[in-house]
Amino acid sequence: MNKDILLCGVGGQGIVLVSKLLAASAMAAGETVHSAETIGMAQRGGSVTSHVRIGESYSPLIPSGCAELMLAFEPAEAVRNLPLLNQNGTVIVSSQPVMPVTASLSGGSYQAGPMLEFLKTRVKKVITANPAELCAPLGSVRYFNVVMLGIAVAAGVTGLPEEIVRQSVESRVPEKFREINAKALKIGIDYYNSIEGM
């Protein structure tokens, strides 16, 4: 299997954890994996991208136009990284923007709607997910990263079996957070199944 997955968002959204869970799941499935992160000013809300390449590749960085899946935890970051997606790629994107400091200081508008509409005109399959709604049963949006992973697994776009991903979550997440992350994964899976059935 060859699969290029790009994760993008801003610092503090748990992007690196999800990339590690994807890589661990792929290795557990017997695949070769390369990964790399670009973190920048992550602790200050700066851009974070993570490349996960499953299968044989010569570089851990995904070339332009090659990603089959983008997990975007922030809509503007999805738009910014769009050139990396291939023409038949899938974008799973948060519907909740994270306003950059520059926009909040200038008082400028920063709405998710136009960004999501732009994505829908450029990408064949866009799946939007609302962090506040999906994470309400978990008590915190900090688990949205694993919810997004669940959506991707249920959509079949990772190429990874659900059971292997579940085992990776249970073995790689610190013990005191395992149960709630397992619930987050299930919420993502159930959410995708519910929207597909509509």
Side-chain angles (χ1 to χ4, degrees):
M1 173 176 73
N2 285 296
K3 188 77 67 174
D4 287 339
I5 303 171
L6 181 79
L7 300 91
C8 59
V10 298
Q13 292 185 305
I15 293 165
V16 174
L17 172 62
V18 173
S19 70
K20 290 183 186 301
L21 292 173
L22 281 168
S25 299
M27 287 188 288
E31 302 288 347
T32 301
V33 185
H34 294 93
S35 65
E37 286 89 30
T38 305
I39 295 178
M41 294 290 286
Q43 290 183 333
R44 295 176 185 247
S47 298
V48 176
T49 57
S50 185
H51 301 241
V52 178
R53 308 194 74 189
I54 301 170
E56 295 302 322
S57 61
Y58 296 103
S59 164
L61 297 178
I62 300 170
S64 292
C66 290
E68 294 152 281
L69 169 63
M70 181 192 295
L71 283 178
F73 296 81
E74 206 283 329
E77 291 299 316
V79 172
R80 192 173 69 80
N81 286 284
L82 203 53
L84 291 172
L85 195 71
N86 74 24
Q87 61 182 1
N88 296 310
T90 297
V91 174
I92 302 173
V93 59
S94 169
S95 62
Q96 183 176 322
V98 179
M99 184 176 284
V101 173
T102 50
S104 60
L105 289 174
S106 68
S109 175
Y110 192 76
Q111 303 295 322
M115 293 180 270
L116 297 174
E117 288 306 314
F118 177 82
L119 289 171
K120 289 173 184 175
T121 65
R122 297 293 194 277
V123 181
K124 283 192 174 180
K125 186 166 187 178
V126 177
I127 302 166
T128 59
N130 185 306
E133 289 178 7
L134 291 173
C135 293
L138 304 171
S140 173
V141 295
R142 67 185 293 193
Y143 304 106
F144 184 63
N145 58 342
V146 179
V147 172
M148 289 276 277
L149 177 61
I151 295 169
V153 170
V157 287
T158 64
L160 299 168
E162 182 182 318
E163 187 54 37
I164 287 181
V165 176
R166 183 179 289 109
Q167 288 170 3
S168 293
V169 170
E170 291 173 355
S171 63
R172 299 274 173 166
V173 171
E175 188 174 353
K176 64 181 179 178
F177 298 116
R178 280 180 195 163
E179 185 178 347
I180 196 162
N181 277 284
K183 287 180 182 176
L185 187 72
K186 186 176 187 307
I187 285 171
I189 292 167
D190 291 346
Y191 171 72
Y192 179 77
N193 291 334
S194 72
I195 61 173
E196 273 299 288
M198 293 174 68

